């Protein structure tokens, strides 16, 4: 199933409930406070939308039968990176998205490996920096690491 969503400072439980219902699923969301979500996704797979929401809201999800079970992840941003980032790019080459993140947070970016991915459109507002990097790498087939000593973000792409 593909979905398109646009939310601004919204409670993740509400977003997840709408998506689950549209997919014929139910959702269990913890009563703990999750971070508000601001994101725009166009024509993405349901699991991609769930990943983006949970990356932004500091939670994790898994499908158990016909129920989406959400848990608070409690993970913190990578040491030395600013905890939150806002970024909006339209039809940009994937390596340039990482370079824009580096410019936004004031760190050098090293891209390793061959990148053969179509341009992407992303919009994150006050999203966890580490969550944004995790989300982008999950979808682009890469890994990232940050060295606080050299203030360098290294992004490694695997072969397509």
């Amino acid at each position: 199933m593909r979905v398109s969503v646009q939310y601004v400072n919204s409670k993740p439980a509400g977003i997840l409930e709408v998506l689950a219902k549209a997919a014929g699923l139910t959702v269990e969301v913890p009563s703990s406070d999750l971070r508000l979500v601001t994101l725009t996704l166009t024509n993405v797979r349901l699991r991609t939308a769930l990943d983006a929401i949970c990356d932004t809201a500091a939670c994790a999800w898994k499908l158990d039968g016909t129920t989406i079970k959400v848990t608070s992840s409690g993970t913190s941003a990578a040491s030395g990176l600013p905890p939150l980032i806002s970024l909006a790019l339209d039809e940009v080459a994937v390596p340039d998205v990482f370079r824009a993140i580096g410019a936004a947070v004031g760190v050098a970016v090293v891209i390793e490996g061959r990148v053969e991915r179509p341009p992407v459109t992303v919009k994150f507002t006050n999203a966890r920096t580490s969550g944004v990097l995790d989300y982008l790498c999950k979808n682009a087939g890469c890994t990232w690491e940050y060295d606080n000593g050299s203030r360098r973000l290294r992004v490694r792409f695997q072969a397509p």
Side-chain angles (χ1 to χ4, degrees):
M1 172 178 165
R2 291 198 168 270
V3 298
S4 295
V5 297
Q6 181 172 5
Y7 288 94
V8 177
N9 289 330
S10 300
K11 292 185 178 184
I15 301 169
L16 293 166
E17 287 170 7
V18 167
L19 291 174
K21 185 176 181 179
L25 303 169
T26 58
V27 66
E28 292 177 6
V29 182
S31 59
S32 64
D33 289 333
L34 299 175
R35 293 185 181 139
L36 295 178
V37 173
T38 297
L39 73 122
T40 300
L41 300 170
T42 305
N43 196 28
V44 298
R45 293 180 182 187
L46 176 60
R47 69 174 177 255
T48 301
L50 295 172
D51 287 342
I53 293 162
C54 282
D55 284 344
T56 304
C59 62
W61 70 274
K62 70 176 183 175
L63 185 61
D64 185 7
T66 59
T67 302
I68 300 168
K69 294 189 176 188
V70 179
T71 56
S72 178
S73 65
T75 57
S76 61
S79 177
L81 283 174
L84 301 176
I85 186 170
S86 295
L87 182 73
L89 301 168
D90 188 33
E91 293 295 313
V92 175
V94 173
D96 291 339
V97 173
F98 289 100
R99 290 183 185 101
I101 290 170
V105 300
V107 301
V109 176
V110 176
I111 305 289
E112 296 178 355
R114 210 162 156 202
V115 184
E116 293 182 17
R117 310 290 188 289
V120 297
T121 297
V122 296
K123 181 177 180 181
F124 297 97
T125 304
N126 292 327
R128 284 183 316 116
T129 305
S130 61
V132 168
L133 292 168
D134 288 343
Y135 170 78
L136 292 170
C137 278
K138 181 175 183 175
N139 288 290
C142 62
T143 59
W144 68 274
E145 63 183 46
Y146 177 68
D147 179 359
N148 196 32
S150 65
R151 297 199 39 82
R152 179 172 293 155
L153 174 66
R154 182 177 308 274
V155 180
R156 292 183 177 107
F157 286 87
Q158 291 96 28

